[in-house]
Amino acid sequence: MSRYPSLHIHPGRGLGFLILGASLHDVLTRLKAQPHLYPTIDVIYSSTQPIVAPVVLNLPANGFRLRFDGPDQRLRLIEVLDFGKTQLSYKNIDLVKLPEENILTSAVLGQQREHGPAFRHVYNRLMGPTFPGEYLPPKDATEPQTGLYILSYPGIAFTFPLQHTAWSRTADFVSLLSSNAAAPAKSLAIFNGASWREARQDLFTQPCLNPRSLALSMKGKEHQPDEVELVNVCGGGVVEMIRRASSPFRIVLGETTPQDLVAELGPPDAIYSKNDHRLSIHKTRRREQRASHGSYGASPARSDDLFDTDHSSAHTTTDDSDAEEETDQKEDDRGQSPAKCFYNYFCHGFDVFISYPSSPSPPFPHARSSAQPTTPTKAVDHVVATKVLLHGNVPGSYPFNRYRRSRWVIDPEATGALEDLDSETPFSSLSEGLRSMWKGNYASEQAEKATHNAIVLDRDWGDSPGSSYEVLEGWEGSEQTQKKGASAQEGSDSGTTQIYGFPDDIYQWQRAARNAAQDGEFVLHDGPPFANGPLHIGHALNKILKDITCRFQLSLGKRVHFVPGWDCHGLPIEIKALEQQKAQGLNDDCTAKNAREIRTIARQLADDAFSAQKQAFQQWGIMADWDSAWKTMDHEFELNQLMVFSSMVRKGLISRKRKPVYWSPSSRTALAEAELEYQDDHQSTAAYVKYPMVLDTGGGSMRVHALIWTTTPWTLPANQALAVHSDLLYHIINTQRHGRLLMASTIAEAAEAILEGGFEIVESIKGQDLVGQIYQDPVFSRDKLDRPILHAEFVSSSTGTGLVHIAPGHGMDDYELCQRHGIEAFAPVDDDGCFVADALPGWEDILGGVPVLHKGNEKVLQILRSNDSLIKEHWYQHKYPYDWRTKQPVIIRATEQWFADAGQIQEAALKSLDTVTFLPKNGRERLTSFVKNRAEWCISRQRVWGVPIPALYHKETGKAVMTPESVDHIIKEIYCYGVTAWYTDDEEDPRWIEPSLLARYGTNKFRRGTDTMDVWFDSGTSWTTMFKDGDRHVPAPADVYLEGTDQHRGWFQSSLLTYVARQPMFQVSSGIAQAPFKALITHGFVLDADGRKMSKSVGNVISPDEIMHGTLLPLNKKKRCDAMGPDALRLWVASSDYTSDVRVSTSFLQTIHKTLVKYRVTFKFILGVLEDFRGPLDTPIALGTPHRIAFLQLHQVFDKVRDYYCKQDYNRAIADINRYIAQDLSALYMEMVKDALYTDRGSVRRQAQVTLLIIFQCLQTMLAPVTPLLIEETWDYTPQYIKGLFPHPMWIRWGDQLEVLARLRDRQLAEDMPILSEARQAVYTALEKARVCKHMGSSLECFAILQIETLGERGHTVVGCFQRYLSDLATIFIVSRVEVYSGAAPLHVWSADWMFSKDFVVDDTKVVAHVYKPSKAKCARCWRYLAPIEAQPEEALCDRCEAVVDELRKTSPQLFKDLQGEEDASADA
């Protein structure tokens, strides 16, 4: 998959989401919402004519330039100036194939790629033939030989550089541009017009075909309000909104209600209410884009929400708005304060102030009476629109891009003015015109000045521009503001006011509102991701699983503690730092001399990655304490880590040894087991080698050769012994070519293939008789020829020859064997993995400096061959360890390293796991096996980017000094001066030497060590971040650790060992030590659709952004991508069985998309039903059977989903929610209540509303952990009345809702539901038979009868059930009428025109369900077949509808008069 931003070209329309005609406000808002894709936005405008001259947006990191006209600020021209920064495509064909390694960050760093599409590609594959274009001769003196050829198509044009000498008017342009004289396209332009030649004439003035709003440009089925083109100020309190397609709408100040505004303009983008102290966002909320707050806002799954964001300070009014004379007005007894609010219409470009009506506005002076609107005179006792604030969106002004530019005109018909006064009129002319117009209408000059007051606001932006809001109506003096200074001018009423915003941060809310002691605290400790590079799909799986877990615990009422962390040290970052140094021409050696430079660069790289990853996590809706996020390179973290290390030193768990360790020549450092990857297809050159010996057979001596087999011939120069097994039988065989050879008897039988010739067995000898005998190494012996033969348990007869070559410097088992026999480890290999010449006397010239893993094997085999010691060599494929970072093979090499003694605490660590819950359960076995197999932990690394091991070395002897006192002294110095000082201070600086050592040895006797700690030790001590204030003992275990299954040998293990090691020794020795976690949850890896590991080389990498942006899905009907947003990414995680490897495929993502759409449609339907709900919930209400069935099913699924969440079984929870929505809610309950909702009035409709309200809340609770953005959006659209009844859905507790559902549960109905379900299924089957025969369509087109044919012993139960619910059976079965009969079915059933039946048995009672043609007519209102048969079809009404219509005639007679008028007009026409 490409890692570039990708956009589709739409000639004449736009580029991706950039649609021609879109407003500057909408485009900038969308771009700023995605800083990871559009990091740099340059706004270019004329400072002298900002609304006359075009406005240009330059996106250098993306290679785009966007041009907008000045007056209307609409996108007119899209130019692509660099094809190397975005993957562009047309009709699913890429314009240019971009190299995989180049990503957006390289574009930011300025790596230019100027190779555009070639002419043949454009002409033959992309666009097709066209007319000749136009040639522009060279104007640039720097390139006098190159002109430009503009090849134009409708709506798009390409610019090709062309050698001027090749240009000819008579030449065929196809041949000309196909030749070497033409270069690939340098740029392209997208515009509205048949050709560039025609379009450029009136590019900035021609009418725009597309709307300003990107939401309108991309709208689907959901309605979007029409946009306002022009505001006509009519005077007298009347403002006329001229709309793009709809008829004009007038706002009459003092008369127009908020309901009128919503009906005509749509819901406001935000409502700013003074007394709520918050901003209530309706559509344009994307708070997850804020860098420092949680992720709550409108889901971007909807087209309109894709462009919503924090609008810089979009929630403010303009600077030059009036302070308003009501500043000091006191609230009257009507309670004005709660009613006052602003309706903010960002995308229309204005605000409307809602309050109780004030004095009516006077008409314009000199207005023509016919044109002057009549001001309202009727007194009203409800809130209305009282002010309209229009926004100019002037580039360079303070409030720029908070709103769309609003164009307005003061109606000349109303003012009688000779010149137009409009939004393009210079302020001086506008001010003079208005003053002249109103001159003479004031009692005095002072009265005139009194109306020209103003305010000055000093904003305090906080975390983002959107966290501060400018207000009107005297709010600057409210309790929520803080006066900061005196008035701006002497004698003026204006002041400087600091305005505070009202961020909605659920994490911070719960930390403040909930008490850990009372509510319980849930702690999920974060396994730190590595701060290196962008996030991948595995990060999404991990972090979203953690977030779902935390959000569910929050819904249980607990106080959640989740602080994210980052692992910042380690080799990958250091390698990047070295590469950066090398690129700058500096020394790139990893030595203490370069430590300062390397650490400075590495810290910056880690910080950059941390910031980018943090922002991405927040965009995924991760709820966490982001302000307290920790990094392993933080000073406090490093000190805590060193304190853990000091504790281990005091307990004797840290020591320095020379022993074999995994060594990475490519990284030049030791590695731990957790830092290895094993490749199964590694190929080695294996060899059979012979060593001479004089064998004592018991009855004499015999010269033989001991035959060994090895897959690492390069280790033979370090050979120190041979090993046999005492219990094996060995043969001495005689060969013609190699003489007598000693090998295991089981191998001797197959020796012919090895020796490539015949042989005979001379004698046999037991393994125990071989132990202690001597052999010689005549080839690589340094000092003596004689070497011992030892017994070893690891020797096997299944592979090799039964004799094993022992090199204690290159093997763990070899080392331990030789240690028992006093044989020193010898490893003639340096840090680069090359042979050390001085250690191989006689072979210096051949082996010195040769890499052991490459030419080393060949050279050793060459030497053995020349000495007749090589029997045979062959290729051997086997499993081999690789460096997990560099992906290069490692070696085993004996070096001086620091080790943590895991053996001392191993038993206590294993015992602590007895109380830990593992999910999946096999995690216990995996972690236990890793802990058992680690006796020692190599914790030292030969790098500089990390936490130093606080060791001193005697300069003369090289002996390491590490005592509790010396370590504590070094920690104190690091506390004062930081870790970097350890590397950068002068070598002779005595402050690092503990005073007693100075007193004993004097100064200049010790040097500081350069080794750093293993990064697993860094992250393994991250439990220290859970310290309570002032407490530095071991913190309580976290409730959950949740990471990938590979962390059993990594972070889980290192956390366990360090945590146990930090506890008092009596706990460790007595087996009562604790693990750092109460539960350990592991997830699998993310694979592609075919089950393959994702790899750049394979090209199957899928990024989280691709899932959120919908680019993996097929294009919709409008040939666009259906962006699914963060909730889609989260739902994919929750729907997957994470306990094994997780696959991601297009088909699965399509299912996720459909599921999200289903959620949205369901919520939309419920909200529509609840729009007019006003009844108090504390009033008793008798619920009908359909509603009680709904509560019964809701209680079942709600309890079951809660149980799945508790078990972290999220995919089964989502499966149950989906089944409930599809079957119980949509297919059953909503079908049952549609009739009541659409046709009934009063209590019947209210029953459905109450039921749907509780369903609505429970759905919000069940989905909140997985799709929080969608739930937040449903809350935004929840009617204000309902918001006053309930808290925010994120605050509601499962237990409270379970109690409500338990009270509503009908026990009798629960017992009867199996019978009703069987009956409904039988009726449904009979209905399908009728549909197949095309006798009916809707299920209402039939009657049903339940005929109890045979009555069993428990038949009374069935009969009683049907009789109890007889009046509701028609609603339950969704038919027009249901009857119940015992015995034979009535005659009218058999005489019906058609009938179909289905029998079923319940409790040994046989029942037959009959459906048949109804004997009544279709009701024109409710569509049930219950109307009189003789009535006219258009007038036929059932008894219920007749009663409802009669009531409406009495209560709403005007409605029927209007209908009658329409009918009469239609008849006349």
Side-chain angles (χ1 to χ4, degrees):
M1 293 291 177
S2 173
R3 297 175 65 186
Y4 293 85
S6 58
L7 293 174
H8 295 276
I9 293 174
H10 306 282
R13 177 170 174 78
L15 179 63
F17 66 89
L18 299 170
I19 305 298
L20 294 173
S23 70
L24 175 63
H25 167 75
D26 256 22
V27 172
L28 260 178
T29 297
R30 171 66 183 262
L31 294 174
K32 288 164 62 180
Q34 304 177 81
H36 58 296
L37 294 179
Y38 306 99
T40 305
I41 306 172
D42 297 330
V43 183
I44 304 170
Y45 59 91
S46 170
S47 58
T48 58
Q49 295 181 311
I51 59 172
V52 176
V55 180
V56 178
L57 294 188
N58 192 26
L59 283 70
N62 307 86
F64 302 158
R65 185 165 62 199
L66 311 176
R67 295 182 183 269
F68 300 77
D69 68 87
D72 213 8
Q73 293 184 353
R74 303 183 72 173
L75 181 57
R76 302 294 188 151
L77 179 64
I78 302 172
E79 298 173 277
V80 178
L81 307 178
D82 189 340
F83 293 94
K85 296 177 178 178
T86 301
Q87 186 66 68
L88 303 177
S89 61
Y90 175 65
K91 293 184 176 179
N92 295 326
I93 301 175
D94 292 338
L95 262 70
V96 178
K97 290 290 185 182
L98 300 181
E100 180 62 30
E101 69 276 5
N102 184 25
I103 58 175
L104 181 61
T105 52
S106 64
V108 175
L109 294 174
Q111 297 178 7
Q112 298 290 333
R113 296 189 180 275
E114 299 180 352
H115 300 295
F119 169 75
R120 290 181 180 274
H121 183 61
V122 173
Y123 195 79
N124 296 334
R125 294 195 63 198
L126 290 174
M127 311 303 299
T130 186
F131 296 102
E134 54 182 318
Y135 176 71
L136 304 178
K139 294 182 180 179
D140 191 349
T142 60
E143 293 187 40
Q145 304 301 321
T146 305
L148 297 176
Y149 191 92
I150 301 176
L151 185 69
S152 184
Y153 293 86
I156 189 170
F158 296 83
T159 303
F160 295 92
L162 181 65
Q163 292 179 12
H164 185 59
T165 54
W167 164 248
S168 171
R169 293 183 180 276
T170 59
D172 176 51
F173 79 95
V174 175
S175 302
L176 194 61
L177 295 179
S178 300
S179 69
N180 294 332
K186 185 178 182 180
S187 63
L188 74 78
I190 300 174
F191 51 87
N192 180 24
S195 70
W196 174 243
R197 186 192 300 269
E198 296 179 11
R200 68 188 180 197
Q201 305 299 326
D202 56 353
L203 184 66
F204 293 101
T205 57
Q206 63 175 320
C208 292
L209 301 179
N210 302 315
R212 293 177 178 82
S213 170
L214 289 171
L216 284 170
S217 297
M218 297 183 173
K219 73 177 182 180
K221 295 181 180 180
E222 296 190 33
H223 171 72
Q224 301 288 342
D226 197 4
E227 62 186 15
V228 176
E229 289 277 341
L230 181 68
V231 179
N232 187 18
V233 181
C234 302
V238 176
V239 181
E240 186 177 41
M241 304 292 176
I242 310 299
R243 293 184 282 191
R244 182 169 180 266
S246 309
S247 57
F249 163 60
R250 285 194 166 195
I251 297 178
V252 181
L253 300 181
E255 182 176 316
T256 300
T257 66
Q259 291 79 8
D260 296 332
L261 295 175
V262 172
E264 295 291 342
L265 302 174
D269 301 308
I271 297 177
Y272 186 50
S273 176
K274 170 184 176 182
N275 291 80
D276 287 345
H277 308 318
R278 62 186 172 84
L279 187 72
S280 175
I281 307 295
H282 280 269
K283 288 197 305 181
T284 55
R285 261 192 358 193
R286 284 286 300 278
R287 276 167 287 181
E288 73 276 15
Q289 297 292 351
R290 297 182 186 174
S292 60
H293 298 307
S295 56
Y296 296 89
S299 168
R302 286 181 46 199
S303 60
D304 60 334
D305 297 328
L306 285 171
F307 316 104
D308 301 337
T309 182
D310 162 17
H311 285 247
S312 297
S313 24
H315 316 298
T316 72
T317 59
T318 58
D319 285 343
D320 47 344
S321 57
D322 291 341
E324 306 300 336
E325 52 270 16
E326 292 91 38
T327 298
D328 299 322
Q329 181 181 342
K330 296 182 179 181
E331 298 172 1
D332 59 23
D333 55 1
R334 295 180 301 182
Q336 286 184 352
S337 181
K340 293 180 180 179
C341 64
F342 283 101
Y343 272 25
N344 306 122
Y345 286 98
F346 305 134
C347 295
H348 288 315
F350 54 80
D351 296 328
V352 182
F353 185 59
I354 306 296
S355 68
Y356 285 100
S358 56
S359 301
S361 301
F364 282 122
H366 316 298
R368 302 183 181 94
S369 59
S370 60
Q372 184 64 43
T374 304
T375 56
T377 57
K378 181 182 177 181
V380 294
D381 196 31
H382 56 265
V383 293
V384 291
T386 56
K387 295 182 180 68
V388 177
L389 292 87
L390 308 177
H391 297 276
N393 198 32
V394 179
S397 67
Y398 184 84
F400 173 61
N401 207 50
R402 292 185 179 84
Y403 290 73
R404 194 203 91 192
R405 175 165 172 76
S406 177
R407 301 189 74 183
W408 52 266
V409 61
I410 297 178
D411 189 354
E413 292 292 322
T415 62
L418 298 178
E419 297 181 0
D420 289 343
L421 299 177
D422 57 26
S423 50
E424 279 73 63
T425 303
F427 180 76
S428 57
S429 302
L430 177 64
S431 177
E432 183 62 31
L434 290 175
R435 287 175 184 272
S436 175
M437 185 187 305
W438 289 93
K439 191 171 181 64
N441 285 66
Y442 299 103
S444 64
E445 185 176 349
Q446 288 72 22
E448 180 180 2
K449 288 182 177 180
T451 64
H452 298 162
N453 53 356
I455 59 173
V456 177
L457 298 180
D458 179 21
R459 288 98 172 160
D460 181 16
W461 288 118
D463 297 308
S464 74
S467 65
S468 179
Y469 308 103
E470 181 182 333
V471 294
L472 293 179
E473 185 58 39
W475 293 4
E476 67 278 5
S478 73
E479 298 175 352
Q480 303 305 316
T481 66
Q482 174 186 351
K483 293 289 182 181
K484 293 182 65 176
S487 61
Q489 297 177 5
E490 187 176 351
S492 171
D493 291 332
S494 61
T496 302
T497 306
Q498 181 180 12
I499 307 298
Y500 292 98
F502 313 104
D504 180 12
D505 192 327
I506 190 72
Y507 185 88
Q508 298 301 335
W509 165 82
Q510 59 95 28
R511 295 296 295 175
R514 290 183 177 173
N515 184 281
Q518 296 176 359
D519 301 313
E521 185 163 39
F522 175 80
V523 179
L524 194 155
H525 184 51
D526 192 25
F530 199 59
N532 182 36
L535 299 179
H536 53 68
I537 193 71
H539 288 112
L541 175 65
N542 176 262
K543 222 63 165 191
I544 291 173
L545 282 174
K546 293 176 182 177
D547 190 62
I548 294 173
T549 303
C550 287
R551 287 180 182 273
F552 172 66
Q553 294 295 328
L554 181 71
S555 69
L556 292 179
K558 293 184 180 179
R559 187 173 187 253
V560 172
H561 177 94
F562 178 57
V563 182
W566 270 265
D567 195 350
C568 299
H569 291 134
L571 187 62
I573 296 177
E574 185 170 325
I575 289 175
K576 284 188 175 182
L578 291 171
E579 290 173 350
Q580 198 170 118
Q581 271 202 315
K582 187 175 182 180
Q584 296 172 1
L586 303 176
N587 190 345
D588 64 334
D589 291 337
C590 179
T591 62
K593 294 181 180 179
N594 295 329
R596 181 189 296 275
E597 292 77 12
I598 294 172
R599 290 178 64 86
T600 299
I601 298 173
R603 179 175 291 276
Q604 185 60 53
L605 290 170
D607 258 330
D608 293 344
F610 158 76
S611 299
Q613 291 184 7
K614 176 182 173 181
Q615 184 180 31
F617 283 139
Q618 290 174 314
Q619 290 175 350
W620 297 347
I622 307 301
M623 179 191 72
D625 188 353
W626 295 107
D627 293 336
S628 303
W630 52 268
K631 303 184 286 292
T632 57
M633 65 181 182
D634 291 340
H635 183 58
E636 183 180 1
F637 187 99
E638 292 173 332
L639 287 172
N640 287 333
Q641 177 180 335
L642 286 166
M643 292 301 293
V644 174
F645 184 86
S646 173
S647 172
M648 295 175 70
V649 170
R650 290 183 180 280
K651 295 171 183 175
L653 297 177
I654 305 297
S655 61
R656 185 170 174 83
K657 299 178 182 178
R658 178 180 173 81
K659 62 179 294 185
V661 295
Y662 290 109
W663 185 270
S664 172
S666 55
S667 299
R668 302 183 83 251
T669 186
L671 300 177
E673 174 71 31
E675 297 172 294
L676 303 176
E677 291 179 348
Y678 285 88
Q679 290 198 10
D680 296 327
D681 57 352
H682 180 83
Q683 284 197 335
S684 297
T685 303
Y688 290 92
V689 179
K690 61 182 181 179
Y691 287 96
M693 65 179 293
V694 178
L695 179 64
D696 183 358
T697 60
S701 61
M702 182 185 304
R703 288 187 176 277
V704 300
H705 286 84
L707 184 65
I708 64 97
W709 177 75
T710 178
T711 60
T712 54
W714 62 268
T715 62
L716 293 174
N719 173 265
Q720 296 290 81
L722 294 181
V724 298
H725 198 289
S726 299
D727 296 338
L728 292 182
L729 181 65
Y730 291 82
H731 284 336
I732 301 169
I733 65 173
N734 190 28
T735 68
Q736 183 176 359
R737 181 178 177 184
H738 302 290
R740 295 190 187 96
L741 299 176
L742 175 67
M743 64 183 70
S745 61
T746 54
I747 304 300
E749 297 173 1
E752 187 171 352
I754 300 173
L755 303 173
E756 299 178 354
F759 66 91
E760 60 177 346
I761 299 174
V762 176
E763 193 169 341
S764 299
I765 187 171
K766 293 181 179 179
Q768 62 187 16
D769 296 331
L770 292 175
V771 176
Q773 299 207 40
I774 303 299
Y775 74 99
Q776 291 83 38
D777 181 5
V779 180
F780 297 111
S781 178
R782 303 178 310 284
D783 44 14
K784 58 182 181 179
L785 295 177
D786 294 344
R787 307 279 171 82
I789 297 179
L790 309 173
H791 162 75
E793 289 293 333
F794 56 77
V795 176
S796 169
S797 62
S798 60
T799 57
T801 64
L803 291 95
V804 177
H805 133 68
I806 301 298
H810 296 298
M812 311 295 188
D813 293 335
D814 299 15
Y815 172 79
E816 293 176 2
L817 175 64
C818 289
Q819 280 287 98
R820 293 195 295 269
H821 292 85
I823 302 173
E824 293 184 0
F826 172 62
V829 180
D830 63 16
D831 291 354
D832 292 315
C834 299
F835 282 118
V836 178
D838 295 344
L840 298 168
W843 304 109
E844 302 96 326
D845 296 339
I846 298 178
L847 295 179
V850 175
V852 298
L853 283 176
H854 301 287
K855 295 183 179 179
N857 266 341
E858 299 175 12
K859 294 292 185 181
V860 169
L861 292 174
Q862 178 184 338
I863 293 171
L864 292 172
R865 198 179 295 112
S866 64
N867 286 272
D868 196 29
S869 296
L870 183 63
I871 300 293
K872 183 181 180 181
E873 60 182 284
H874 65 96
W875 284 104
Y876 180 69
Q877 183 171 305
H878 60 121
K879 190 176 183 179
Y880 194 84
Y882 276 64
D883 186 331
W884 73 324
R885 297 182 181 95
T886 64
K887 310 303 179 184
Q888 297 298 315
V890 303
I891 61 175
I892 296 176
R893 171 185 176 233
T895 60
E896 291 276 352
Q897 300 290 340
W898 290 97
F899 292 88
D901 187 354
Q904 285 193 48
I905 58 175
Q906 189 178 78
E907 185 177 347
L910 292 171
K911 182 70 174 175
S912 71
L913 298 180
D914 292 345
T915 59
V916 175
T917 301
F918 286 82
L919 181 68
K921 293 182 179 179
N922 63 2
R924 182 185 302 277
E925 182 181 348
R926 281 179 56 82
L927 183 56
T928 298
S929 66
F930 282 118
V931 175
K932 283 182 177 179
N933 292 329
R934 172 172 271 184
E936 286 187 315
W937 174 10
C938 178
I939 61 172
S940 53
R941 298 292 181 270
Q942 288 64 52
R943 313 305 303 178
V944 298
W945 176 232
V947 178
I949 291 180
L952 302 172
Y953 297 86
H954 196 278
K955 288 185 177 180
E956 295 178 1
T957 64
K959 184 178 179 181
V961 176
M962 182 183 287
T963 65
E965 295 75 20
S966 69
V967 171
D968 288 347
H969 177 78
I970 292 170
I971 292 175
K972 290 178 182 177
E973 296 299 315
I974 289 177
Y975 173 80
C976 296
Y977 302 101
V979 165
T980 301
W982 173 265
Y983 295 97
T984 58
D985 276 4
D986 187 82
E987 186 177 344
E988 310 299 330
D989 194 332
R991 76 178 181 204
W992 297 98
I993 314 302
E994 194 264 330
S996 65
L997 291 176
L998 277 176
R1000 181 178 178 184
Y1001 294 99
T1003 59
N1004 199 24
K1005 295 296 183 182
F1006 295 95
R1007 63 176 178 83
R1008 300 187 297 276
T1010 58
D1011 290 347
T1012 59
M1013 293 189 199
D1014 178 13
V1015 291
W1016 290 113
F1017 197 96
D1018 290 15
S1019 59
T1021 57
S1022 64
W1023 47 264
T1024 60
T1025 61
M1026 296 187 291
F1027 280 136
K1028 304 297 181 183
D1029 292 339
D1031 182 11
R1032 284 299 179 266
H1033 295 88
V1034 180
D1039 291 283
V1040 168
Y1041 272 36
L1042 194 161
E1043 296 299 328
T1045 185
D1046 57 330
Q1047 296 306 318
H1048 286 110
R1049 66 173 185 173
W1051 186 60
F1052 293 156
Q1053 186 184 181
S1054 64
S1055 299
L1056 175 65
L1057 294 176
T1058 57
Y1059 189 80
V1060 170
R1062 183 67 175 84
Q1063 296 172 53
M1065 283 306 294
F1066 78 87
Q1067 289 183 229
V1068 176
S1069 58
S1070 58
I1072 59 173
Q1074 285 184 301
F1077 34 74
K1078 298 176 184 177
L1080 202 62
I1081 304 175
T1082 52
H1083 60 76
F1085 298 103
V1086 181
L1087 310 176
D1088 69 5
D1090 300 321
R1092 299 175 300 172
K1093 181 180 178 181
M1094 292 190 182
S1095 168
K1096 295 179 186 176
S1097 59
V1098 177
N1100 63 343
V1101 176
I1102 294 175
S1103 73
D1105 283 348
E1106 289 178 298
I1107 296 178
M1108 292 193 296
H1109 297 161
T1111 55
L1112 298 175
L1113 300 179
L1115 298 180
N1116 58 23
K1117 294 179 180 179
K1118 296 186 177 181
K1119 304 300 181 184
R1120 302 192 191 101
C1121 297
D1122 277 329
M1124 301 190 292
D1127 276 345
L1129 187 65
R1130 298 174 63 91
L1131 186 58
W1132 164 73
V1133 171
S1135 302
S1136 304
D1137 181 7
Y1138 64 85
T1139 58
S1140 58
D1141 289 340
V1142 176
R1143 297 191 183 190
V1144 55
S1145 63
T1146 300
S1147 59
F1148 192 16
L1149 293 178
Q1150 285 179 297
T1151 302
I1152 296 298
H1153 182 257
K1154 291 177 181 177
T1155 302
L1156 267 179
V1157 171
K1158 181 67 174 177
Y1159 293 166
R1160 293 184 65 85
V1161 170
T1162 302
F1163 280 123
K1164 187 176 179 181
F1165 174 83
I1166 296 176
L1167 285 170
V1169 171
L1170 298 177
E1171 183 63 33
D1172 61 346
F1173 177 77
R1174 292 295 181 272
L1177 290 178
D1178 54 358
T1179 302
I1181 182 171
L1183 295 174
T1185 303
H1187 313 298
R1188 287 182 285 131
I1189 290 176
F1191 283 130
L1192 182 66
Q1193 293 174 330
L1194 180 62
H1195 183 264
Q1196 291 172 345
V1197 71
F1198 196 75
D1199 193 36
K1200 198 173 180 181
V1201 168
R1202 180 183 182 275
D1203 186 53
Y1204 284 141
Y1205 272 127
C1206 287
K1207 297 175 181 177
Q1208 288 82 36
D1209 203 349
Y1210 303 134
N1211 66 312
R1212 297 182 71 179
I1214 292 299
D1216 260 37
I1217 293 172
N1218 294 343
R1219 182 208 58 77
Y1220 168 76
I1221 292 176
Q1223 299 178 16
D1224 296 344
L1225 183 57
S1226 298
L1228 180 57
Y1229 181 67
M1230 287 184 177
E1231 290 297 323
M1232 288 193 296
V1233 300
K1234 277 182 181 178
D1235 180 70
L1237 292 173
Y1238 296 154
T1239 60
D1240 273 321
R1241 291 168 63 84
S1243 63
V1244 179
R1245 175 177 168 80
R1246 185 167 177 267
Q1247 290 180 47
Q1249 287 183 311
V1250 170
T1251 305
L1252 284 172
L1253 177 56
I1254 297 177
I1255 290 174
F1256 177 64
Q1257 282 191 307
C1258 290
L1259 277 179
Q1260 285 180 317
T1261 300
M1262 288 191 288
L1263 288 173
V1266 178
T1267 59
L1269 279 74
L1270 173 62
I1271 300 310
E1272 182 71 18
E1273 187 182 5
T1274 63
W1275 176 251
D1276 290 340
Y1277 281 91
T1278 300
Q1280 289 293 335
Y1281 180 83
I1282 296 176
K1283 284 185 177 182
L1285 299 176
F1286 301 102
H1288 192 285
M1290 299 292 181
W1291 304 350
I1292 296 176
R1293 306 187 184 205
W1294 281 76
D1296 297 339
Q1297 289 179 305
L1298 275 174
E1299 290 180 10
V1300 172
L1301 293 177
R1303 290 197 300 269
L1304 292 170
R1305 190 174 187 270
D1306 187 328
R1307 296 184 180 275
Q1308 181 64 57
L1309 180 61
E1311 296 176 4
D1312 293 338
M1313 271 305 294
I1315 301 174
L1316 294 176
S1317 298
E1318 286 285 346
R1320 186 176 187 276
Q1321 184 59 42
V1323 170
Y1324 179 79
T1325 302
L1327 285 172
E1328 287 303 306
K1329 293 179 181 179
R1331 285 195 180 99
V1332 171
C1333 296
K1334 298 183 179 181
H1335 288 300
M1336 55 170 285
S1338 168
S1339 59
L1340 293 174
E1341 297 179 28
C1342 72
F1343 288 173
I1345 282 184
L1346 296 178
Q1347 176 196 355
I1348 302 174
E1349 194 171 81
T1350 58
L1351 201 63
E1353 294 181 4
R1354 299 185 59 192
H1356 65 281
T1357 304
V1358 180
V1359 175
C1361 172
F1362 291 151
Q1363 293 299 330
R1364 262 191 299 277
Y1365 309 109
L1366 182 60
S1367 62
D1368 290 314
L1369 289 180
T1371 302
I1372 296 172
F1373 298 160
I1374 315 175
V1375 296
S1376 288
R1377 187 173 69 186
V1378 175
E1379 298 172 285
V1380 177
Y1381 285 90
S1382 295
L1387 182 61
H1388 67 267
V1389 176
W1390 303 105
S1391 61
D1393 291 352
W1394 53 264
M1395 180 192 71
F1396 296 90
S1397 306
K1398 172 63 179 177
D1399 61 273
F1400 62 99
V1401 177
V1402 180
D1403 288 340
D1404 66 10
T1405 296
K1406 183 178 180 181
V1407 183
V1408 182
H1410 304 284
V1411 297
Y1412 59 98
K1413 184 176 180 180
S1415 57
K1416 294 279 190 176
K1418 179 180 180 180
C1419 175
R1421 185 169 179 270
C1422 69
W1423 296 5
R1424 296 184 303 169
Y1425 281 72
L1426 296 176
I1429 197 72
E1430 64 275 4
Q1432 294 294 325
E1434 64 274 8
E1435 297 178 357
L1437 293 176
C1438 63
D1439 293 342
R1440 180 195 60 179
C1441 290
E1442 186 73 44
V1444 171
V1445 171
D1446 287 344
E1447 181 185 353
L1448 286 172
R1449 290 183 189 277
K1450 297 175 183 178
T1451 58
S1452 305
Q1454 186 61 40
L1455 173 65
F1456 290 88
K1457 291 180 181 179
D1458 294 342
L1459 290 173
Q1460 186 61 47
E1462 291 178 5
E1463 292 178 1
D1464 294 342
S1466 177
D1468 293 341

